[in-house]
Amino acid sequence: MKITRRNFLQMLGITGVAAGGISQVWAIPDQWVEKLQYGPRIETWKVSTCGQCPAGCGIRVRLIDEIPVRIFGNPIAPVNSGFTCPMGEAGLELLYHPDRIRQPMRRKGKKGESSWEPISWKEAFGQMSQGLQGLVKKKQADRFGFFFGDRNTLLTHFAGDFVTRMGSTNFFPWRAPGINELGFWQAFGEYPPLAFDLEKTDYLLTFGTNLLEGPPSPVYFNRLYGKLKESRPRTGLKVVHVDARMSQAGKNATEWIQVRPGSLGALALGMAYVILRDKNFDDDFITRYSQDFRGGKEDFPNLVSRYYPPDKVSAITGVPPETVLRLAREFSAAKAPLALSGGVSDRSETALFTQWAVASLNALSGSFSAKGLWREPVPLPWGPTPVPSVNARTGAFSLKPQLAPESDLPAHWTSEELPHLRSAGKLPDLSMLMIAQVDPLYLTTDRKPWQEWLSRIPQVVQFATLIDDTSPYADLVLPTTTYLEQWDMALPVPNLPFSQLGLQQPIVPPLNGIRPIGDVLLQLATETGVTLLPEKPKSYSGYIETRMKPIFASGKGTPYFEAVSLQFLGEMRKRGWQVYSYPAFADFWRLLQEKGGWWDPGEYPEAEWKKRKKFAFPTVARFEALLKERALLSHGRETQKGDTPLHALLEAPIRKTEIADSFLLSPFTTLMNMTGEGASQPLLQEISGLIPRVYWGPWAEMHPERAKRLSLKDGDLIRVVSRRGSVTLPVKVVPTVSSEILGVPFGYGHKESGRYAKNIGTNPVALIDPLVDPLSGRASWQSTQVRVEKVTK
Ligand code: SF4
């Protein structure tokens, strides 16, 4: 039989690929098709770690004659225990994408035009090393910067080290640190945040947190939620989800409380009011381990009693006063209550305020004293690093609470602010900027400043698998590997109660002409005459191997192993027993590759409050200090101002929608497309709208009452109009959104990103007013008022 691409794939038993389009969906290299025609059809399996999101799930890939045909979960990877999410399963579509860039490309036209000419790697290296050498020679290394998306892998550290070794401090990771970290930093003055163990709580209250459809680890938390649900009759666990949209977190909760967008922090403080009034708080924890609880006029109880009595909170949040009362009493009566905030609340104008308010609920109620609930992440035994992995301008936490060392920037600015920082003279004019693993022009709520900033930089070098929305502003686009063709190491997932390192290793060699970022940086360092590491690894895989040596030497943890009782293992480990025997590093390294990663089965130890800094309750004075710090960065961006910061923070952003056709736009992420990159994978396009039954495009979720008032029914087309533009969407009438919001999925509307994503649907973020949370500087997705009109055909 003559084998065509189509029957080749069918023969391999590949499922889940969009019907009717297999041969166009996967660009299988010709030599592979030929190989199969004559090959013995031998099945093999390889293990690695998923790279579609930062959760680090272990994967097993099925290969026929060394050609990958399907991705499964690695059953011995502790984060996912054999499961994957739809994005994890769709990973081969990234590998076989027909529009992958196969050769370095140089811009032909003006910035902003997607017009390219292919060049050789030699020319590309020549151009880059000449630029870098010139800067190093002229002692202008600070004119070099690297803008890096955070996949939570060692590559981020490596790229940071690369920048530092070049003599620059301009390493800019996208989105680091998150609101969760910032909230923790404000409350505890320390970093990283504590981990929590959901199995130890008997009352889980999630303020917008949707652990089931996004980071830190949706597969882990979906499994855990399933387990907790099953054991509810025995444990009595109650799960309450508070949000304007139900989401999967609400569907899997015991109760969903509808609340006005942006008002979650006010609800938390309304509960605090009741707990304080009822004198139901954990006096022992508060007295010993907190500050600003009993400080007189400006302390926390004063803040709460002045601004957050239940009737006022009810007016702000839309939650009835008796519900505020009930939630507070249930929460404080629980033995191990746990309140979490995140998800959409992290993308509002009250993001940091909400994190802090929710943390104070935990401090008040005794959550922090509950046995085993809060865990202290143990740093990995990496050993001394050759250069600081995270430097002053990374936006990471510095030792000084206010300003990053040797910089007049607050310690927690965000990469999204870069063009504004440049305009304000807080960053030097860059001569060369590298960009990898992030598409800022797609993600930003304010494109124009980015377009202008990138247009002014003479050499913008982008590492990419597909031409994306940022590429037209690059001068050089370098084709890079997918996670299935490269080495890397996924780092421990924040908030999980144990450590794991997921090894990424090539399932297949990189397609011709494509190179991994790590190896490109190593070669560039050599050509520029800079030594990256004392060990001088020849390849990026050599760097990973070197970084694993201190882990081996520490004797801690083990390569993944087949499931046995953790209790039994714990006992054995106390007696010095190891799961595997690996006398030499070479054995350990071989086992890592065979099993797919390393973990420490011992849970993190319980948080030791005696050793930690005292918990700082939010107060008016603290909010004011933070506002002043942030004011350094506002640069004319619209932020809340006024003499009454609390009102500015808490009430002004909560925009009520009383006009009949007016809604608050509420973009949300889905498990099919957490990052926006899923749009380039047809399987995900095909299934992302399975529940609303809208395929290959977004929709607008509207409450039935509002739909009735506007004479709209399911499937009708509406025009959604904001100050920044308008889009047309089909309406889905659902009772799972509050009547004030219009829920629109994020992830569509790319201007580029290959044939399956380009110009498909609309990006709700493009409609958004560029408003920020005044305390954290993070862009708000939940503040834009839109008008809706029916489209009549
Ligand atoms: S949760 Fe993230 S890492 Fe895990 S399978 Fe899904 S996309 Fe991959």
Side-chain angles (χ1 to χ4, degrees), residues 234-440:
R234 182 172 44 79
T235 60
L237 168 72
K238 180 161 185 183
V239 180
V240 179
H241 183 62
V242 186
D243 203 348
R245 184 175 174 269
M246 190 185 232
S247 79
Q248 283 301 321
K251 283 183 190 146
N252 284 280
T254 329
E255 186 180 359
W256 168 48
I257 308 274
Q258 262 188 59
V259 67
R260 193 165 282 140
S263 69
L264 293 159
L267 178 63
L269 293 186
M271 289 173 63
Y273 177 100
V274 179
I275 294 171
L276 285 168
R277 196 186 58 188
D278 292 355
K279 297 202 172 26
N280 260 340
F281 50 86
D282 182 349
D283 202 20
D284 184 52
F285 179 88
I286 289 168
T287 310
R288 291 161 67 179
Y289 306 122
S290 81
Q291 49 183 310
D292 293 331
F293 188 77
R294 293 186 180 97
K297 252 176 84 182
E298 291 304 326
D299 62 14
F300 177 72
N302 184 280
L303 163 86
V304 168
S305 62
R306 200 180 326 155
Y307 296 107
Y308 302 103
D311 51 346
K312 183 153 186 218
V313 166
S314 176
I316 298 172
T317 61
V319 177
E322 54 279 12
T323 307
V324 181
L325 221 75
R326 175 173 60 83
L327 287 177
R329 288 183 178 152
E330 285 177 3
F331 192 73
S332 57
K335 284 197 192 85
L338 175 61
L340 299 174
S341 86
V344 287
S345 69
D346 280 358
R347 291 191 173 273
S348 75
E349 284 171 87
T350 54
L352 186 50
F353 167 80
T354 301
Q355 276 282 344
W356 208 348
V358 170
S360 68
L361 259 191
N362 286 322
L364 267 189
S365 64
S367 168
F368 287 142
S369 314
K371 196 159 173 42
L373 186 54
W374 294 91
R375 304 263 161 186
E376 198 90 52
V378 179
L380 286 166
W382 286 124
T385 50
V387 286
S389 289
V390 184
N391 59 46
R393 281 237 165 90
T394 59
F397 298 103
S398 66
L399 292 176
K400 277 196 204 165
Q402 300 274 321
L403 301 175
E406 297 159 22
S407 150
D408 60 349
L409 297 175
H412 51 66
W413 55 274
T414 65
S415 295
E416 190 163 348
E417 295 170 288
L418 284 174
H420 303 281
L421 291 172
R422 177 58 217 115
S423 317
K426 307 252 175 211
L427 285 179
D429 268 330
L430 296 182
S431 299
M432 187 195 263
L433 176 70
M434 289 185 169
I435 302 176
Q437 298 188 345
V438 60
D439 183 0

Side-chain angles (χ1 to χ4, degrees), residues 49-59 71-73 79-80 83-89 214-220 483 671 674:
T49 299
C50 178
Q52 292 260 55
C53 93
C57 295
I59 52 170
I71 295 177
F72 296 83
V79 163
N80 58 314
F83 295 90
T84 58
C85 75
M87 277 189 82
E89 264 205 54
S217 186
V219 177
Y220 175 81
Y483 67 93
L671 193 52
M674 291 176 255

Side-chain angles (χ1 to χ4, degrees), residues 177 182 185-186 395 397 410-414 626 629-630 775-776 778:
L182 284 180
W185 173 257
Q186 296 305 330
F397 298 103
H412 51 66
W413 55 274
T414 65
L626 253 180
E629 185 186 328
R630 290 300 317 169
L775 290 184
S776 72
R778 302 298 192 268

